[in-house]
Amino acid sequence: MLVLNNVEVIFDNVILVLKGISIEAKEGCITTILGANGAGKSTTLKAISGLLRAERGDVTRGTIEFHGERIDRMAGHDVVKRGIVQVFEGRQVFEHLTAEENLIAGGHIVPSKADMQRNIQRVYEFFPRLHERRGVQAGYLSGGEQQMLVIGRGLMSDPKTVLLDEPSLGLAPMIIEEIFAIIQRLNQQEGATFLLVEQNAAQALDIAEFGYVMENGSIVLEGPAETLRENSDIKEFYLGISSGEKKSFRDVKTYRRRKRWLG
């Protein structure tokens, strides 16, 4: 469904952020991109959603295709019309609008009022707490409710693929579990495709089918989620099983390769 082939991104015509990455998000699946802050995960999502130019960035090499059509030169609103929506990190709600008004804003490309109401009810089915809080200004919602709201707002345009950026950021563990369970339900019941960017590797790999690990703008590891969960380096750097000294994922891989070469 969604394929990035050897994509390079440069900001301000100088700063190389993505260094020839290749990623595939299969239709009807949850694919995750793992990595620390500054690895290039959010930039990858913005390259797909057409929002790089707003931050003086550009795809300077490679291609991004959605259902066989190149989208790396499209404006953001055209990418949304093709069926891709990005849910940003940081729970960016319209604080002075009610929860339901936020949902309506997300459905601006929906063709009719009947479709709008159908989509709102669909969001409430998956997020019943939003229905309870539908008349409350979004700025007064809890962090978990705001995260549910921005995901629900993204669903209002009937997307084929949802780009989710750090949905667990700053939330309590119980709320994280609830939100990830809803993401999994959307995938299983609605067939929604997700490209999920996360630092919380344990949660992401529990619901994803395939994963990529990014470091310094490059893909350093990829594979089925179950394989990544059992990878010793993933356990050390992303699942909290560590020797104590903080090291680079790439450094450890190089060290282990060198150790094997030296016998």
Side-chain angles (χ1 to χ4, degrees):
M1 172 178 273
L2 177 64
V3 179
L4 286 72
N5 183 33
N6 200 30
V7 170
E8 179 183 272
V9 167
I10 292 179
F11 283 84
D12 292 322
N13 296 315
V14 175
I15 306 168
L16 179 62
V17 177
L18 297 186
K19 305 168 184 176
I21 67 167
S22 295
I23 289 172
E24 180 177 335
K26 293 185 178 180
E27 186 170 6
C29 295
I30 300 175
T31 302
T32 187
I33 306 175
L34 309 175
N37 278 332
K41 307 184 304 297
S42 295
T43 297
T44 300
L45 296 191
K46 290 174 184 176
I48 297 167
S49 61
L51 299 178
L52 282 178
R53 290 184 185 86
E55 300 181 0
R56 296 190 294 185
D58 201 9
V59 176
T60 55
R61 182 183 176 188
T63 60
I64 302 174
E65 295 185 358
F66 187 60
H67 286 296
E69 179 185 16
R70 282 193 66 171
I71 62 172
D72 46 275
R73 296 296 177 186
M74 286 186 182
H77 59 272
D78 289 323
V79 174
V80 172
K81 290 177 181 177
R82 294 301 190 282
I84 298 176
V85 67
Q86 179 170 351
V87 178
F88 294 93
E89 68 173 308
R91 303 185 288 277
Q92 299 183 31
V93 298
F94 299 117
E95 294 185 356
H96 299 296
L97 299 182
T98 66
E100 187 157 302
E101 288 168 342
N102 269 265
L103 295 181
I104 292 170
H108 64 281
I109 67 168
V110 175
S112 69
K113 288 184 178 180
D115 289 328
M116 179 76 76
Q117 286 303 313
R118 174 180 55 80
N119 288 356
I120 289 174
Q121 292 308 312
R122 172 171 164 253
V123 170
Y124 288 155
E125 287 174 12
F126 282 97
F127 300 99
R129 200 177 311 180
L130 292 183
H131 182 262
E132 297 170 6
R133 306 279 279 164
R134 63 189 182 277
V136 177
Q137 285 187 355
Y140 292 103
L141 299 178
S142 69
E145 290 166 346
Q146 289 182 346
Q147 186 61 61
M148 294 175 188
L149 181 57
V150 294
I151 295 173
R153 189 175 63 194
L155 297 174
M156 286 295 296
S157 61
D158 283 327
K160 299 182 180 73
T161 295
V162 180
L163 312 177
L164 264 179
D165 197 351
E166 301 281 8
S168 72
L169 188 65
L171 298 180
M174 287 184 62
I175 300 298
I176 293 172
E177 286 186 15
E178 182 179 356
I179 287 174
F180 273 73
I182 293 170
I183 293 169
Q184 196 167 27
R185 277 184 57 211
L186 284 163
N187 170 252
Q188 293 172 347
Q189 296 179 18
E190 301 276 318
T193 301
F194 287 92
L195 183 57
L196 169 66
V197 155
E198 258 299 336
Q199 289 190 65
N200 190 332
Q203 291 283 353
L205 292 174
D206 274 346
I207 67 170
E209 286 144 277
F210 199 89
Y212 297 85
V213 179
M214 287 191 74
E215 187 170 301
N216 296 325
S218 300
I219 302 295
V220 295
L221 187 66
E222 63 181 79
E226 59 186 21
T227 302
L228 294 182
R229 279 197 299 268
E230 298 305 316
N231 182 282
S232 58
D233 294 325
I234 294 293
K235 287 181 178 179
E236 181 174 355
F237 291 102
Y238 298 106
L239 301 184
I241 305 171
S242 174
S243 60
E245 181 186 355
K246 187 174 181 182
K247 295 171 284 188
S248 159
F249 182 90
R250 189 190 295 276
D251 288 345
V252 165
K253 296 295 285 185
T254 302
Y255 167 76
R256 288 182 178 168
R257 284 195 299 270
R258 184 171 180 270
K259 187 176 180 182
R260 288 196 297 270
W261 294 337
L262 295 177

